[in-house]
């Protein structure tokens, strides 16, 4: 079980990286907080495609185009181990 102090430290660290991030406390055992998470997910803008969008940072290994610094998203920019996910 996570203490209140640990949650506050975690929230503080998240706010250091992204001050606009929404932090939702969720209990995976009791389900407390799931309704707030559901409302947040349902109110998020819909995204049809990520093609030609950008990652915030390059991915952290050296095995594919993203791993060597590519940030553009799409089949034209993917090489090696990266595979397209269909949803």
């Amino acid at each position: 079980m996570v203490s209140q102090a640990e949650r506050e430290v975690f929230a503080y660290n998240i706010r250091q990286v992204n001050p606009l991030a929404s932090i939702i406390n969720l209990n995976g055992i009791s389900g407390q907080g799931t309704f707030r998470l559901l409302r947040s997910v349902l109110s998020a803008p819909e995204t049809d495609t990520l093609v030609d969008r950008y990652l915030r940072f390059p991915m952290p290994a050296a095995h594919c185009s993203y791993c060597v610094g590519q940030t553009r998203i799409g089949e034209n920019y993917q090489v090696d181990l990266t595979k397209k996910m269909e949803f």
Side-chain angles (χ1 to χ4, degrees):
M1 185 182 238
V2 179
S3 71
Q4 179 66 26
E6 289 171 317
R7 282 193 297 272
E8 289 175 13
V9 168
F10 179 76
Y12 174 81
N13 288 330
I14 294 297
R15 286 188 191 101
Q16 292 294 318
V17 176
N18 185 353
L20 301 177
S22 176
I23 298 172
I24 300 172
N25 292 311
L26 183 74
N27 184 320
I29 296 173
S30 71
Q32 185 175 7
T34 55
F35 184 67
R36 184 168 179 217
L37 176 64
L38 174 66
R39 284 192 323 215
S40 179
V41 169
L42 292 177
S43 68
E46 192 158 326
T47 302
D48 293 332
T49 181
L50 293 177
V51 173
D52 291 324
R53 302 281 302 267
Y54 286 86
L55 298 170
R56 286 186 186 174
F57 306 100
M59 293 171 64
H63 301 290
C64 68
S65 58
Y66 295 121
C67 303
V68 295
Q70 178 63 266
T71 58
R72 288 181 290 180
I73 299 172
E75 281 187 31
N76 295 337
Y77 314 112
Q78 296 173 351
V79 294
D80 294 333
L81 304 174
T82 307
K83 295 183 181 179
K84 184 176 181 181
M85 293 176 64
E86 297 290 336
F87 294 100

